Amino acid sequence: MNTLKNQITDVLKNSMRAKDMATVTVIRGVQAAIKQIEVDERIELDDAQVLAVIEKQIKQRKESIKAFSGAGRDDLASKEQAEVEVISQFLPAAMTEEELDSIIEQTIAAQEATSMKDMGKVMNSLRPIIAGRADPAQVSAKIKAKLS
């Protein structure tokens, strides 16, 4: 069974063989974040939970990129961007705009959402579907546009 954790370990091994130390460091950081949760909560993470950890790692780096760019530290911003690209390989294929719009419309109809008050309901039911495949901020903006 090729779980997401196994894929991460395989990439780590291949990067070590290739002596790609930048990738090794990033992958070890992701593995440490996964292991930390497993130890703290005494559970074995499944693919969905590992995906959530990966998304969080990417989000943290994107926030760092924004901060570094704003401070004129393009060297650090590009390092963070390279790390985002390494981690992003573990995300599922991104949704197309058409797929995303279609799923949002179906969910709004299924939830019988009519106003901004229903936004939370719609977003919560979409979260498992879009996990790792679409930017939640972008999805949120699309829902707002359709409900307002």
Side-chain angles (χ1 to χ4, degrees), residues 14-135:
N14 292 335
S15 301
M16 289 169 89
R17 282 189 199 105
K19 297 197 181 351
D20 179 358
M21 293 321 287
T23 302
V24 168
T25 305
V26 175
I27 301 291
R28 281 189 176 145
V30 171
Q31 282 186 322
I34 293 168
K35 186 57 99 185
Q36 181 72 49
I37 293 170
E38 289 183 334
V39 169
D40 289 350
E41 298 181 21
R42 292 182 173 82
I43 56 171
E44 182 80 21
L45 295 185
D46 62 14
D47 276 359
Q49 292 164 313
V50 170
L51 191 59
V53 172
I54 290 170
E55 287 179 321
K56 186 176 179 189
Q57 294 280 317
I58 290 173
K59 183 179 181 208
Q60 288 172 343
R61 283 170 175 81
K62 285 187 175 175
E63 288 168 359
S64 296
I65 291 169
K66 200 180 290 180
F68 288 142
S69 295
R73 293 296 309 266
D74 294 333
D75 54 328
L76 294 175
S78 62
K79 177 183 171 285
E80 293 285 325
Q81 183 57 46
E83 290 181 8
V84 167
E85 287 162 19
V86 169
I87 300 170
S88 293
Q89 68 183 310
F90 301 110
L91 294 176
M95 287 183 167
T96 63
E97 289 290 320
E98 294 78 31
E99 281 180 297
L100 196 54
D101 289 336
S102 163
I103 287 173
I104 290 171
E105 282 172 28
Q106 290 169 7
T107 306
I108 288 174
Q111 295 287 334
E112 297 173 357
T114 54
S115 70
M116 287 302 292
K117 286 189 291 194
D118 302 319
M119 174 133 179
K121 270 196 313 193
V122 174
M123 197 63 194
N124 285 337
S125 58
L126 276 173
R127 217 168 247 118
I129 300 167
I130 64 164
R133 298 187 61 207
D135 178 17

Side-chain angles (χ1 to χ4, degrees), residues 104 108 119 122-123 126 139-147:
I104 290 171
I108 288 174
M119 174 133 179
V122 174
M123 197 63 194
L126 276 173
V139 173
S140 176
K142 285 179 177 283
I143 294 170
K144 271 186 194 144
K146 289 193 186 333
L147 290 180

